[in-house]
Amino acid sequence: MNKDLDLVLRLEGLVLLRRGLACMGPYVERAALDFLEEQIDRLRRSVSGDLLSQYDRLARKYTNTIVPVSENTCQGCDRRIPPRLARLLESTTQTFQCPHCGRFLFAKHHAPAYVPLT
Ligand SMILES: [Zn+2]
């Protein structure tokens, strides 16, 4: 996974964490939410403008904007991707999107260590 996509993946994780903590309402310290907001802002400033725009567009539709490909199938929409794209994902760390749902894709073996994949 390339550095840009890794930043987006970390951003997505923090956004989901914020969403989860917000559901807990008064049980969460305001300072914790503020800290999380700062981290999210910091990450957003690290991501390039185009990629951030794409992420924001996808995040309005999906909670998972970056998904692995397994057996040539996007794990977001469960549709098969073209074999050529699957080969590129296996051999490079370029950023590609699913031709069906638009989510960012990565080959499982390019997943960062902090992403648990079965
Ligand atoms: Zn897809």
Side-chain angles (χ1 to χ4, degrees):
M1 177 173 295
N2 65 49
K3 183 178 175 291
D4 292 336
L5 215 49
D6 183 62
L7 288 171
V8 174
L9 186 59
R10 290 174 189 272
L11 174 62
E12 181 172 272
L14 291 182
V15 168
L16 291 175
L17 178 60
R18 177 179 61 189
R19 195 175 293 171
L21 290 176
C23 291
M24 297 178 68
Y27 298 106
V28 178
E29 293 284 334
R30 183 69 235 170
L33 290 174
D34 289 347
F35 178 75
L36 198 51
E37 283 298 331
E38 286 172 24
Q39 297 305 306
I40 289 170
D41 286 347
R42 189 179 58 80
L43 270 175
R44 288 184 65 85
R45 285 192 302 271
S46 302
V47 177
S48 73
D50 278 356
L51 193 57
L52 189 60
S53 296
Q54 288 176 307
Y55 164 76
D56 285 339
R57 249 191 323 276
L58 287 169
R60 282 194 284 274
K61 289 168 68 175
Y62 311 116
T63 54
N64 58 344
T65 63
I66 305 174
V67 296
V69 168
S70 179
E71 297 177 15
N72 293 3
T73 302
C74 167
Q75 297 301 290
C77 66
D78 209 30
R79 295 179 65 184
R80 291 186 70 76
I81 61 171
R84 183 177 175 276
L85 177 55
R87 281 194 300 277
L88 284 169
L89 282 164
E90 289 292 324
S91 60
T92 73
T93 57
Q94 281 182 263
T95 300
F96 292 105
Q97 291 178 264
C98 173
H100 309 294
C101 68
R103 288 177 174 98
F104 298 112
L105 301 171
F106 64 89
K108 279 185 169 182
H109 70 270
H110 290 152
Y114 61 86
V115 174
L117 294 173
T118 52

